[in-house]
Amino acid sequence: MSKVAIVTGSNKGIGFAIVRALCKQFDGDVYLTSRDEGRGVEAVELLKKEGLNPKFSILDINSSASIAKFKDFIQTTHGEIDVLVNNAGIAFKNNATEPFHVQAEVTNGTNYFATRDFCNAIFPLLRPHARVVNISSVCGFLKKINGKEPESLELQKKFADPKLTQDELSGMVNKFIELTKTGNHFEYGFPNSAYNVSKVAVSSLTKIQQREFDTSRPGDDIVVNSVHPGYVDTDMSSHKGPLSPDEGAIAATWLALLPENVTTPRGGYVWHDKTVVDWENGPTPSEY
Ligand SMILES: NC(=O)c1ccc[n+]([C@@H]2O[C@H](COP(=O)([O-])OP(=O)(O)OC[C@H]3O[C@@H](n4cnc5c(N)ncnc54)[C@H](OP(=O)(O)O)[C@@H]3O)[C@@H](O)[C@H]2O)c1
């Protein structure tokens, strides 16, 4: 049976470029997925014009019905999955007028909670030696939890606690969202950025997921890493990033194709130049 790779939110931007790279480098079927059928089909057509042959499926990670339908489709069609890239994400623009507590809920709703829910639904389909890549950000570096001190330093310790569970992590993200409603989040140590909290949570979740696989499926060599793709020229960055989407896809694609029984990185936080970064202490190889 042929191998299968899935990239969420891949009708444009970095996800689209990851599909393009996987079509060239991965020996198997590559799924371009989109929450909108029209945008997804159009993206597939673009790659077909380049001589590539991605498959398409609709997938909205915010919808439990969409997740269930997608899982059922993959299970029936392929049985198992070899590569999963959790790329779908959102960011409010700096000049967004939505109240901060709304931004906190919506941003974390997609970037953290929907990613977590999709993983928890689809992970049972991962084949031994599967590779999972969670797209984080420079904003997912632990020190981006930089609200008032010393509370922020205590929060950093909690996010990095090697015994942290998914439920506890979700509780911390929910606490942030609650605190934004009264404007007390900074006092409690959280940053003034909903996006930073969501991406730190994604990198923290990555470590938890790796620990869970190491316990529940020891010997199956399932590897989960998070990656900062770089500052990339996409709609999200308002096309200000200096890297092209293809350049932003390089480290994620490398992580998706890590060889069998690799010892590092596992549960790591990886920079766009493929450096495995000490998530808690740094340094990071560059500013962004
Ligand atoms: N660009 C950067 O400089 C940068 C830097 C660090 C990290 N990142 C991260 O890289 C990832 C890709 O970002 P990008 O710059 O390529 O952004 P983008 O061009 O805005 O693309 C985001 C993609 O995610 C999809 N998406 C959003 N919510 C979704 C949902 N609920 N279900 C399924 N798909 C959904 C979007 O679909 P629609 O087209 O339907 O909206 C789009 O395809 C994100 O996780 C982002 O946070 C980006």
Side-chain angles (χ1 to χ4, degrees), residues 9-15 35 39 59-62 87-90 110 135-137 195 199 228-232 234-237:
S10 48
N11 52 286
K12 66 177 184 178
I14 298 167
R35 58 182 164 179
R39 289 196 286 275
L59 172 64
D60 179 347
I61 62 164
N62 280 123
N87 165 82
I90 57 162
T110 294
I135 307 296
S136 181
S137 167
Y195 184 77
K199 290 298 186 176
H228 164 46
Y231 189 24
V232 182
T234 65
D235 287 347
M236 182 181 283
S237 70

